[in-house]
Amino acid sequence: MIVVVALIVLLPFAAAAAGLLATRLGTRNLGARSEPTAYRRAAWFAILPAAVSAALTVWLAAALAGGAGGAGASEGRFWSELLPGRVEGTLTVVETGSVPISLTLRADGLSVLAGILVVVVALAVQVYSVGYMRDEPRYPSYSAFVSLFTSAMLLVVYAGDLIVLYVGWEIMGLCSYLLIGHWWEDRANSRAAVKAFLVTRLGDVGFLFGIFVLGSAAGGFRIDDVLRADIPRGTLVVATLLLLAGVAGKSAQVPLQTWLPDAMAGPTPISALIHAATMVAAGIFVVARLYPAFLAAPPTLDVLGVVAAVGMLGAALAALAQDDLKRVLAYSTISQLAYMAAALAAGSDRAAMFHLVSHGAFKALLFLCAGLVIHHVGSNLISHMGGLRRALPVTFWTMTIGFAALAGLPPASGFFSKDAVISAVEHGTGPAQPFVYASALLTVGVTGAYAARAWLRTFFGPARIEPLAEPPPGVAHVFDGREAPSSMLWPAGVLAVPALLLGLAGSAAGVEVEWGPAAVSLAVALLGAGIVYALWRAAPEQDPARLLGPFRVPCERAFYVDAAYAALIARPILRLARGVARTDARVVDGAVRGSGRATLGLSGLVRLAQNGNAQLYVTGLLAGLVLIAVAAVVLT
């Protein structure tokens, strides 16, 4: 059965290789027909392996539900009750001279739940991209990088060794750089890609050292060995704090959250993939995978709780002030991931993973629907939208489900998973618990507000569509007066089902709803949405974000964190780099050039004595003899 796990990971990797190497094979002699042929071939290379990988994942889930492979290692965990089986296999062990590295894959309830999320969203994105990226000349490389991205995340999910996990972790960083900067001709897009790459690499330095600390203390990098090892508490605190740096980078949490809103420069399907099933989900997954180690390090969980409390409310306020629809959803992702981090800090990996899967469904849906709206309008700005519910009926209803799940309104999935998080935080312990709980409730109200604002401003009120002659960089299409093609509508329609019903399925599987906290959070969400609706109803042509008053500009600029980083870190480092460059040019290179000039000067003097003039040679000889004779007379 481990062969099936390997196939799930390797099929998207093979699709990436085929997309990069074989898409245009044999098309050189087709002339103008080569591009459509390469496009169709790339689409098949992208979709078929993703579909097979998804089918194998569903089969694996069914096998584990029947207890195949023996009992899982995480007895008592929710996913072990849901999928009690477990499969693990080691390809080889690499001897390093100290701590061995085992090339191990494992599948248990946790990895299969995350794997289902990854393959379903990846398949939806690949199908959706066929329509969204139509006539895009670089679609073959784009689809290949999406496949590689999927394979890397699956490697993280099914890795049984921390070094193997780290390989997938870093490949995802490379893929995010390549896909965010897909339209690299626009300098803003390339800068956003570089920013995402550098910020996440900064966190990954700590993540790598955390892996080294755990592996050295446990005597091996196998995840089971690490979790079973008797590691001193101080070492665990240091290791988990280092891991937390990488988690903050990948999952865009404070203080490394600044890359995610700028990552909206990439194509909208990539935003759906990054925000729902890969990259940002990886950080939360890793904490859940190593959760026993984190539970044994309470100071780390306290730090995680404070980070989550600050991030969830700050990002929600930033989302309320944005005019770019994709940036609204980007800040929403930061806030929702902070919910999951808060649940982990409160001691409930069940609530965190439930919300991770639920969020993956409705956030992928929201981004794909945002792409449908942008495809229709030709602009990312909410101020250019309005009155779209009649022109885009399918998009309207599917996006309504997504916004309801985001705001936590029943019966959408977000209501149940958010309730699980709020309940976990309410029952949490630790010095930061009151702060985290208060922040979570405030965030519920702000989330209802910005979800209602985006929904009303996009689909209701006066129409503000202005057909554009050419789309701005980063927009695939312009207004054409119709719904998007079926290849874009079907993925959104399919994702609307789990976004609506996944919470009910979770309840049926044993996730209990605590109706007291659920009623409180629902009332707070409705209060936030109601305030926005009242403001919009009074003046539909005006932005309800005016309720922020003088705080709107700071919220819109995400509290000037980017400006602070530029002033305190980026510009000083650039000045230091320029100083080092000047020192290198003037001192180091100056010394080298000076020694060269001195050598040339001395060689000029020596050359005077070697000019081929016999008279000069005889004169020098006689002068030397005279000097020797004078010296002999004087000294004697």
Side-chain angles (χ1 to χ4, degrees):
M1 190 179 288
I2 196 64
V3 176
V4 174
V5 179
L7 284 174
I8 292 171
V9 176
L10 290 176
L11 280 172
F13 180 81
L20 289 174
L21 301 176
T23 298
R24 300 182 186 276
L25 195 65
T27 61
R28 292 183 178 180
N29 298 326
L30 296 180
R33 292 181 296 163
S34 62
E35 287 299 329
T37 301
Y39 184 93
R40 288 192 297 270
R41 190 178 294 174
W44 280 110
F45 284 155
I47 295 172
L48 189 58
V52 175
S53 186
L56 290 175
T57 303
V58 172
W59 180 86
L60 181 63
L64 294 186
S74 302
E75 297 295 337
R77 310 243 65 88
F78 167 65
W79 41 85
S80 294
E81 299 168 3
L82 186 64
L83 301 172
R86 177 185 171 183
V87 178
E88 183 170 351
T90 300
L91 176 63
T92 186
V93 177
V94 179
E95 296 295 340
T96 64
S98 56
V99 181
I101 300 172
S102 60
L103 302 184
T104 302
L105 295 177
R106 59 180 284 177
D108 57 11
L110 175 62
S111 58
V112 171
L113 284 177
I116 290 173
L117 173 65
V118 174
V119 294
V120 169
V121 173
L123 178 59
V125 166
Q126 290 283 27
V127 174
Y128 182 94
S129 297
V130 172
Y132 192 87
M133 303 296 287
R134 188 176 300 279
D135 302 324
E136 168 64 36
R138 291 197 297 271
Y139 170 76
S141 62
Y142 161 90
S143 61
F145 292 144
V146 171
S147 296
L148 183 61
F149 209 160
T150 305
S151 179
M153 182 61 186
L154 289 171
L155 184 60
V156 169
V157 167
Y158 290 110
D161 186 276
L162 290 176
I163 298 298
V164 176
L165 183 150
Y166 186 72
V167 171
W169 184 274
E170 287 302 316
I171 293 175
M172 280 197 295
L174 172 63
C175 292
S176 68
Y177 167 77
L178 295 171
L179 291 167
I180 293 169
H182 177 76
W183 286 307
W184 52 264
E185 296 88 348
D186 187 341
R187 183 172 174 79
N189 293 347
S190 61
R191 288 173 66 89
V194 170
K195 181 178 180 180
F197 187 79
L198 292 179
V199 172
T200 54
R201 293 292 76 67
L202 180 63
D204 289 350
V205 173
F207 190 80
L208 180 59
F209 278 102
I211 288 176
F212 286 159
V213 171
L214 284 179
S216 299
F221 292 106
R222 286 184 71 249
I223 293 175
D224 284 346
D225 294 341
V226 169
L227 297 181
R228 283 196 297 259
D230 185 15
I231 301 175
R233 179 172 172 177
T235 303
L236 273 179
V237 171
V238 171
T240 51
L241 284 174
L242 288 170
L243 291 175
L244 211 57
V247 170
K250 273 291 189 288
S251 293
Q253 295 299 290
V254 175
L256 301 179
Q257 80 282 8
T258 57
W259 68 270
L260 191 60
D262 291 343
M264 298 304 95
T268 301
I270 295 309
S271 300
L273 189 64
I274 290 175
H275 288 249
T278 62
M279 197 75 172
V280 297
I284 302 299
F285 173 82
V286 166
V287 176
R289 170 59 78 202
L290 300 174
Y291 201 53
F294 280 85
L295 285 176
T300 303
L301 293 182
D302 292 337
V303 171
L304 182 61
V306 172
V307 166
V310 173
M312 69 173 71
L313 184 56
L317 290 170
L320 182 57
Q322 302 301 311
D323 189 37
D324 188 317
L325 180 58
K326 289 175 66 176
R327 289 180 76 88
V328 171
L329 299 179
Y331 282 110
S332 166
T333 297
I334 298 173
S335 182
Q336 296 297 308
L337 289 167
Y339 268 140
M340 304 169 205
L344 291 168
S348 178
D349 50 349
R350 170 190 292 209
M353 287 304 300
F354 184 25
H355 196 52
L356 177 68
V357 175
S358 169
H359 172 264
F362 69 72
K363 187 53 62 70
L365 172 63
L366 284 171
F367 268 108
L368 295 187
C369 288
L372 296 173
V373 172
I374 294 167
H375 175 277
H376 181 84
V377 176
S379 173
N380 292 3
L381 302 181
I382 297 175
S383 57
H384 293 169
M385 303 171 188
L388 295 177
R389 69 185 186 281
R390 292 187 179 88
L392 304 175
V394 177
T395 303
F396 167 69
W397 285 110
T398 52
M399 202 167 191
T400 298
I401 293 172
F403 277 129
L406 174 61
L409 304 180
S413 61
F415 168 77
F416 297 92
S417 60
K418 185 188 68 177
D419 166 68
V421 170
I422 297 296
S423 298
V425 173
E426 182 181 10
H427 297 311
T429 59
Q433 188 272 339
F435 175 56
V436 178
Y437 183 62
S439 180
L441 282 183
L442 287 173
T443 303
V444 168
V446 179
T447 302
Y450 72 70
R453 170 182 173 262
W455 183 64
L456 292 169
R457 294 271 290 169
T458 300
F459 295 107
F460 296 87
R464 293 179 289 270
I465 295 178
E466 298 178 6
L468 305 175
E470 290 293 336
V475 177
H477 294 274
V478 296
F479 169 77
D480 58 7
R482 304 189 305 272
E483 280 268 24
S486 58
S487 62
M488 296 170 65
L489 290 177
W490 273 105
V494 170
L495 286 173
V497 176
L500 181 62
L501 302 178
L502 196 59
L504 297 173
S507 296
V511 179
E512 297 179 0
V513 177
E514 294 192 24
W515 293 107
V520 171
S521 63
L522 178 59
V524 173
L526 290 175
L527 177 63
I531 292 173
V532 165
Y533 177 77
L535 288 171
W536 174 84
R537 185 72 175 175
E541 70 284 354
Q542 296 185 28
D543 192 343
R546 65 185 186 276
L547 68 89
L548 292 170
F551 296 104
R552 179 173 182 178
V553 174
C555 290
E556 187 175 7
R557 298 185 183 179
F559 307 101
Y560 304 102
V561 174
D562 270 317
Y565 283 171
L568 299 176
I569 300 175
R571 284 197 288 270
I573 289 178
L574 286 174
R575 284 195 293 268
L576 178 62
R578 294 188 188 102
V580 171
R582 285 194 297 268
T583 302
D584 180 66
R586 296 178 183 178
V587 178
V588 179
D589 289 351
V592 173
R593 287 192 294 266
S595 64
R597 286 193 294 268
T599 302
L600 288 174
L602 290 173
S603 68
L605 293 176
V606 175
R607 189 173 61 248
L608 293 177
Q610 298 291 330
N611 59 4
N613 189 334
Q615 291 179 343
L616 182 62
Y617 297 163
V618 172
T619 301
L621 177 62
L622 292 176
L625 291 174
V626 171
L627 289 174
I628 293 172
V630 171
V633 171
V634 171
L635 294 176
T636 58

